[in-house]
């Protein structure tokens, strides 16, 4: 039986070495029905060359350009417009990761219930799923999208809170996952961020006590490990 279609959205903005590692390691994936959509936030030339190479190799299905860096939340929302009509799931994937196990996506589906599931846990309050590898039912992303008044981590935080509050859904986060996927995170941050980006980012200065109230009635589920 054919597996459900997954649209993997990847935003790129410079840091070509990490972008290449991400796109190449995705080729390990043992899942027969996914597409990769790259949305480039006006990277420098060398990153565009990496994406062009990946396109020529068939590593990505569609490559979308932005004339300027519109950051994380608007970027993912724009990338989402290019998914296939038959896509049942949307996966937000950072461009600074490395796939370690061919079954990384199959294993996410094993624990998925209607809602979202991620590799990675943000353990500071409010506890929430990390956003660097975040799988969600496409119909939920289409309905809520990322609130563009909140950038980066707060955009995904707000999204999780909304689907938990308004839908009969679950959000799960896998804590021990380095055997499946590695996120380089802070090691790559210099390549993706600059002072101007931070100045233009909306909603970064959130009152944590207010954010905690987003999850007052709902909690995410922590999955300690996927080790068999």
């Amino acid at each position: 039986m054919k597996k459900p279609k997954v649209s993997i959205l990847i935003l790129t903005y410079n840091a070509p070495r990490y972008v290449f590692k991400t796109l190449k390691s995705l080729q390990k994936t043992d899942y027969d029905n996914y597409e990769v959509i790259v949305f480039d936030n006006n990277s420098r030339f060398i990153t565009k060359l990496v994406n062009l190479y990946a396109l020529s190799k068939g590593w990505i299905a569609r490559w979308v350009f932005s004339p300027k860096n519109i950051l994380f939340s608007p970027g993912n929302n724009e990338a989402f417009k290019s998914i296939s009509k038959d896509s049942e799931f949307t996966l937000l994937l950072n461009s600074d990761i490395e796939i370690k196990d061919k079954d990384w996506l199959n294993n996410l589906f094993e624990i998925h219930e209607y809602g979202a599931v991620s590799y990675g846990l943000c353990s500071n309050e409010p506890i929430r799923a990390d956003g660097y590898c975040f799988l969600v039912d496409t119909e939920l992303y289409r309905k809520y999208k990322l609130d563009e008044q909140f950038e980066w981590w707060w955009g995904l935080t707000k999204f999780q809170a909304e689907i938990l509050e308004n839908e009969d859904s679950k959000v799960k986060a896998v804590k021990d996952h380095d055997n499946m996927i590695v996120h380089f995170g802070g090691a790559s941050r210099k390549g993706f961020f600059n002072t101007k980006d931070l100045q233009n980012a909306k909603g970064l200065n959130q009152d944590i006590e207010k954010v905690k109230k987003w999850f007052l009635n709902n909690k995410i589920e922590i999955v300690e490990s996927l080790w068999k």
Side-chain angles (χ1 to χ4, degrees), residues 31-62:
Y31 189 91
D32 62 8
N33 196 17
Y34 74 93
E35 62 181 358
V36 177
I37 298 166
V38 170
F39 182 89
D40 187 77
N41 259 324
N42 196 29
S43 296
R44 292 187 287 271
F45 181 67
I46 190 168
T47 304
K48 288 184 170 69
L49 281 180
V50 170
N51 285 330
L52 182 60
Y53 176 79
L55 186 66
S56 71
K57 297 283 285 185
W59 294 356
I60 61 180
R62 283 179 289 288

Side-chain angles (χ1 to χ4, degrees), residues 162-178:
E162 286 186 326
I163 66 172
L164 285 172
E165 182 67 24
N166 299 312
E167 304 286 340
D168 184 15
S169 66
K170 291 187 177 182
V171 176
K172 301 180 181 182
V174 181
K175 188 175 180 180
D176 179 11
H177 61 277
D178 284 351

Side-chain angles (χ1 to χ4, degrees), residues 44-171:
R44 292 187 287 271
F45 181 67
I46 190 168
T47 304
K48 288 184 170 69
L49 281 180
V50 170
N51 285 330
L52 182 60
Y53 176 79
L55 186 66
S56 71
K57 297 283 285 185
W59 294 356
I60 61 180
R62 283 179 289 288
W63 181 21
V64 185
F65 297 94
S66 174
K68 64 179 182 178
N69 185 3
I70 60 174
L71 304 179
F72 183 83
S73 293
N76 276 298
N77 289 343
E78 285 297 316
F80 181 77
K81 294 177 181 178
S82 296
I83 70 170
S84 297
K85 291 183 178 179
D86 61 345
S87 175
E88 296 182 52
F89 294 91
T90 298
L91 193 148
L92 309 187
L93 187 68
N94 278 20
S95 55
D96 58 347
I97 62 93
E98 182 177 6
I99 301 300
K100 305 295 287 186
D101 190 298
K102 64 182 178 65
D103 287 319
W104 71 280
L105 189 50
N106 290 316
N107 289 342
L108 275 184
F109 273 109
E110 281 189 13
I111 63 170
H112 173 270
E113 296 181 64
Y114 185 66
V117 60
S118 79
Y119 284 121
L121 173 73
C122 295
S123 56
N124 55 309
E125 293 288 345
I127 295 173
R128 59 204 186 277
D130 206 323
Y132 73 80
C133 181
F134 187 88
L135 177 73
V136 62
D137 291 79
T138 291
E139 66 178 274
L140 289 175
Y141 195 97
R142 181 175 289 112
K143 184 174 181 179
Y144 292 93
K145 298 189 176 64
L146 298 186
D147 188 330
E148 296 183 10
Q149 298 306 307
F150 299 85
E151 264 307 331
W152 289 306
W153 47 90
W154 293 132
L156 256 298
T157 301
K158 183 78 182 305
F159 179 86
Q160 293 171 52
E162 286 186 326
I163 66 172
L164 285 172
E165 182 67 24
N166 299 312
E167 304 286 340
D168 184 15
S169 66
K170 291 187 177 182
V171 176

Side-chain angles (χ1 to χ4, degrees), residues 187-198:
S188 65
R189 192 161 293 151
K190 186 177 180 181
F192 292 96
F193 294 90
N194 60 50
T195 303
K196 184 178 179 182
D197 293 337
L198 293 173

